[in-house]
Amino acid sequence: MTALVAVSSHLPETVAVADLQEPLGLDEQQVRRFTRLYGLDRICKSDLSEAQLLIAAAEKLDGLRGQEERVRYLIRAKGMRTTAPYPVSPLHEVREALNLQHAKTLAVADHGCATGLLAMDVAGTLLAADGDPDALALILAGDKTFTPFTQWVRDTSIMGEGMAAVLVAADGDRDHVRGYASRIHGRDDGVIDLTPEIAKDARRIYQDALAEVVGAATEEAGIGVADIDLVLPHNVNRVSWTVAAKNLGLPNDRFFLDNLGATGHCFCADPFINYQTVTELGLLKPGDKYLMTAAGLGQTFAAMVLEH
């Protein structure tokens, strides 16, 4: 049963949303919406390259030191399809820096900010078929905002450059994956840009689509939605999760949103960054069932139930 071995993150220095008004071309009303309504305050930004950010996250993984030869798979979870200009390959640079020559290297994308959970499922599938009970997979999640398109989602969120490193085993003593569900409500033409028409459709289906994957993941885990002890969402904005809590019948205090104002929306790294924070704060007890959930551009929705 897929298990988390260790999780670490690298959170760069932050800038205030107000300081991003001119670079992002925001008006005063948009700044007020992002800060007062959506709960965004500080956004992780860095001068480091994508590879340097990923290496910084992975080097904090205590469970990786001395275990490099056990890492059979190095998996890059990308919120965006393209995260560096051709022909730059940040992942191969990371592989060399971390001394992971024994690892098969691959990337997963096209689930937007739900890609981190997809990478967890892919890692579990690969490790289950590997045959070596000591094999590990290393997932690196998060994106560098190196184009204007990646820096913010209009009227939805502002993107941060926090990165997460996730060490995964086929089995373990804690943090087992109990259920996973993912759905894509995409378009035939593959367009993911939030044009007014697409944004309107996204808002129309968002809460029902999210509730459907949460219900599917909890059903696979053999529990009800009410049995979830803590929700670790992606840090898109406060309003989305306030509505989701009501829609799912869960109290607001079961949604961990403390990092939302401190980091911005760090693509598909958010649930793992939130996991590291809640474990450091002692908010998860042995046996607790917690939910990682996210939605991404292209109308992709995912949920994963784990047991601490």
Side-chain angles (χ1 to χ4, degrees):
M1 188 175 296
T2 309
L4 294 180
V5 176
V7 176
S8 65
S9 63
H10 176 67
L11 302 178
E13 295 295 320
T14 59
V15 297
V17 171
D19 292 336
L20 294 172
Q21 180 174 354
E22 183 177 346
L24 297 183
L26 306 176
D27 58 35
E28 293 290 342
Q29 183 179 3
Q30 288 171 316
V31 171
R32 287 194 298 270
R33 180 186 298 117
F34 282 127
T35 55
R36 299 180 187 179
L37 182 62
Y38 288 174
L40 297 165
D41 181 27
R42 311 285 302 181
I43 310 296
C44 286
K45 295 292 180 183
S46 175
D47 293 331
L48 297 179
S49 69
E50 177 184 337
Q52 290 171 325
L53 288 168
L54 294 171
I55 291 167
E59 286 181 338
K60 297 176 184 177
L61 269 178
D62 292 336
L64 181 61
R65 296 191 187 96
Q67 306 298 319
E68 288 85 357
E69 291 191 3
R70 293 177 57 193
V71 178
R72 195 68 54 87
Y73 305 99
L74 177 62
I75 304 174
R76 178 75 173 97
K78 301 192 296 184
M80 305 302 299
R81 294 170 177 171
T82 303
T83 61
Y86 178 84
V88 175
S89 179
L91 188 57
H92 286 94
E93 184 179 339
V94 173
R95 177 183 170 181
E96 293 301 315
L98 298 179
N99 193 29
L100 300 177
Q101 288 86 351
H102 298 279
K104 296 179 180 178
T105 305
L106 65 147
V108 292
D110 280 346
H111 279 211
C113 294
T115 303
L117 302 183
L118 171 66
M120 277 284 293
D121 187 61
V122 169
T125 300
L126 291 172
L127 290 169
D130 187 87
D132 181 359
D134 293 325
L136 299 170
L138 175 60
I139 298 169
L140 300 174
D143 288 73
K144 178 75 178 176
T145 57
F146 80 103
T147 66
F149 176 79
T150 62
Q151 292 176 6
W152 69 302
V153 181
R154 181 174 296 275
D155 297 331
T156 301
S157 197
I158 300 177
M159 312 307 291
E161 295 182 340
M163 303 286 176
V166 186
L167 201 59
V168 180
D171 202 354
D173 297 331
R174 66 175 197 179
D175 293 301
H176 295 112
V177 176
R178 298 295 187 186
Y180 170 66
S182 179
R183 307 283 188 270
I184 299 177
H185 300 265
R187 295 165 54 96
D188 292 339
D189 58 14
V191 173
I192 64 172
D193 295 11
L194 282 181
T195 64
E197 175 193 354
I198 294 175
K200 181 179 179 181
D201 187 56
R203 289 192 295 269
R204 179 182 62 82
I205 70 169
Y206 188 96
Q207 293 297 338
D208 288 343
L210 182 67
E212 194 275 325
V213 292
V214 170
T218 53
E219 181 179 359
E220 184 176 286
I223 65 172
V225 174
D227 298 316
I228 296 170
D229 296 293
L230 193 61
V231 180
L232 308 180
H234 72 316
N235 298 331
V236 60
N237 64 62
R238 182 169 56 205
V239 172
S240 292
W241 296 116
T242 301
V243 176
K246 182 178 180 180
N247 198 41
L248 293 169
L250 291 172
N252 289 339
D253 61 8
R254 291 198 199 173
F255 287 76
F256 183 78
L257 300 178
D258 290 15
N259 284 332
L260 195 157
T263 65
H265 178 16
C266 298
F267 298 89
C268 62
D270 282 340
F272 304 112
I273 293 171
N274 288 335
Y275 168 85
Q276 183 184 10
T277 302
V278 299
T279 53
E280 289 174 352
L281 293 174
L283 299 182
L284 285 173
K285 303 183 300 295
D288 277 357
K289 311 296 190 302
Y290 60 98
L291 177 79
M292 293 184 175
T293 187
L297 287 179
Q299 313 317 314
T300 300
F301 299 81
M304 180 172 284
V305 177
L306 299 96
E307 181 175 350
H308 191 56

